[in-house]
Amino acid sequence: MTTTPMTPQPAPAPTAAARFALRGDLLDFGDEPAWGDVASPAVRYRPDHWLLVDGGRITGVQPDAPDASWERHDHRGRLVMPGFIDTHVHMPQLDNIASYGTELLDWLNNYTFPAETRFADPERSRAGAELFADALLANGTTSAVVFATAHKVSADAMFEAARTRGMRLVTGKVLQDRHSPDGLRDDVMQAERDCTDLIRRWHGRDRLAYAVTVRFAPTSTPEQLAMAGALCRSDASLYMQTHVAENRDEVRWVRTLFPDARSYLGVYADAGLLHARSVLAHGIWLDDEDRAALHASGAQIAHSPSSNLFLGSGLFDWTAMNAAGARVSLASDVGGGTSLSMIRTMAEAYKVQALRGERLTAWVALHAATRGAAEALQLDAEIGSFEAGCTADVCVWDWAAEPVAQRRMEVAQGLHERVFAFITLADDRNLVAAYVAGTPRHVRDVRDSRDPSP
Ligand code: GUN
Ligand code: ZN
């Protein structure tokens, strides 16, 4: 395998040419890679190719430079991939990321609920959503499924921040009408009015979609879960997001709150919340019947490894999910998770599987953060790959950001070894540029000390 010089070209200026061609080592997926297959035919690696972008959409890939009518962005020697999709992350929790010493239920009460209460203030919501959207882009995440807070203004702020950046984003106001502090509880009637109004104003506008957002079963009354289910039934294009079976104390609590349900997942199924547009975070403490129900419904588990490690929640059984044919995507789950970087998330996912005696290939990990997530969200015609017609959400990465990684790249044998070393060693420092619908929305500061240009 040839080696690649580090950071050879300056990043492009943040302008949006209608028609441009991006040169680099293009990596995406044509199909789903099989578990454990390091030589997967699903991988599409096209080194030193040109990605053609016209009117914000990908129009093709070719080995030769296009004619002079195309503006050229020369990223020779860099890795170019579809923007990452983070399928579960909390906008307000940048305020309590990296909080010490607790498992889930105490972490919620001690840190998370107090932080989220502040988002009743429209200015806090606006500033928080702007910071969050910029931080996603600075990590190469161009699409996300996002929890706002129980406050309607926080969902408005998140939609607006995504809209002004042209991002494909799914979010919703959190439903929680019990077991939550003052200032963070809603009630069924008001919550229904808020959801209906938010759906009317945002769902399907530009690249935005609404998710009926149930925090988790313990913080919603059966009446509120029924209301959420009715909302889902009223419009099959709505998403649903929640948490399931993350922590053992949580699972025990759900059993006492819903004694008639077959399982924690069954609580959601009974309420009409389990469907092909459902995104359920964690899913660590599930059984075979739950996994079969996930498969049958088409719902996905948003696997959140850095959160599961940080909060000591448990080791997700990805192979059992795979065997059941249930969909799995990757998620940062910040602020339970410790980084917005989907690359760091992949590295943590590898370690979780290693602790289970399994090995996660770079291909399964990358697919779960790109095309796999897009398919699970029924958005693969728009995001997650370099298929012609997809929106040009594209990120350019340095293969190595510092001398240790550079040395590792120089001695890597074969593509999987090289890409695995990349996902193990890289982070936001490697990101050169993030394009959203063909517009550069994050460009690394050219005064960066690692970049030779002034
Ligand atoms: N369960 C209910 N709410 C939350 C949350 O905010 N984060 C995580 N990780 N789990 C939850
Ligand atoms: Zn979460």
Side-chain angles (χ1 to χ4, degrees), residues 417-438:
E417 185 172 328
R418 186 175 173 81
V419 175
F420 180 75
F422 172 80
I423 67 172
T424 304
L425 300 175
D427 56 31
D428 59 313
R429 293 169 301 165
N430 294 61
L431 184 65
V432 177
Y435 296 77
V436 179

Side-chain angles (χ1 to χ4, degrees), residues 152-321:
K152 188 182 179 186
V153 288
S154 73
D156 274 320
M158 191 65 251
F159 277 125
E160 185 60 22
R163 191 188 68 78
T164 56
R165 290 160 180 78
M167 295 169 77
R168 162 52 79 177
L169 192 121
V170 179
T171 191
K173 171 215 123 55
V174 177
L175 297 168
Q176 54 182 122
D177 66 346
R178 64 170 171 173
H179 300 136
S180 309
D182 290 349
L184 209 57
R185 274 191 318 279
D186 54 13
D187 63 68
V188 179
M189 299 264 281
Q190 186 58 45
E192 184 175 22
R193 279 195 294 272
D194 288 351
C195 289
T196 306
D197 185 50
L198 287 164
I199 291 164
R200 183 180 59 76
R201 289 188 294 112
W202 293 109
H203 184 59
R205 179 176 174 191
D206 298 338
R207 303 184 72 196
L208 308 171
Y210 195 82
V212 174
T213 302
V214 175
R215 170 153 231 132
F216 66 157
T219 48
S220 284
T221 57
E223 295 72 29
Q224 189 173 60
L225 293 177
M227 183 275 283
L231 278 176
C232 289
R233 273 191 298 278
S234 74
D235 182 349
S237 70
L238 290 170
Y239 290 91
M240 195 288 298
Q241 58 177 344
T242 191
H243 299 87
V244 70
E246 174 178 2
N247 168 285
R248 276 178 282 199
D249 288 341
E250 171 209 18
V251 174
R252 277 190 280 273
W253 191 21
V254 170
R255 208 172 290 139
T256 66
L257 292 170
F258 298 91
D260 297 335
R262 195 204 71 80
S263 67
Y264 189 160
L265 188 75
V267 174
Y268 298 136
D270 294 347
L273 294 168
L274 197 62
H275 51 75
R277 290 196 165 207
S278 300
V279 183
L280 301 110
H282 307 288
I284 299 168
W285 306 105
L286 299 176
D287 62 18
D288 285 345
E289 216 170 303
D290 291 324
R291 285 185 275 264
L294 285 167
H295 168 65
S297 66
Q300 69 184 287
I301 291 293
H303 172 35
S304 308
S306 85
S307 171
N308 296 341
L309 293 170
F310 184 73
L311 294 176
S313 301
L315 303 176
F316 176 66
D317 193 345
W318 196 331
T319 53
M321 211 59 78

Side-chain angles (χ1 to χ4, degrees), residues 37 86 149 156 195 217 286 350 400-401 419 437 449:
D37 186 1
D86 185 344
T149 66
D156 274 320
C195 289
L286 299 176
Y350 176 84
V419 175
S449 61

Side-chain angles (χ1 to χ4, degrees), residues 88 90 93 104 107-108 112-113 116 147 215-216 243 246 250 282 307 311 333 336:
H88 178 76
H90 298 255
Q93 294 182 14
L104 175 66
W107 175 82
L108 287 171
T112 308
F113 290 162
E116 292 194 9
F147 268 57
R215 170 153 231 132
F216 66 157
H243 299 87
E246 174 178 2
E250 171 209 18
H282 307 288
S307 171
L311 294 176
D333 191 32

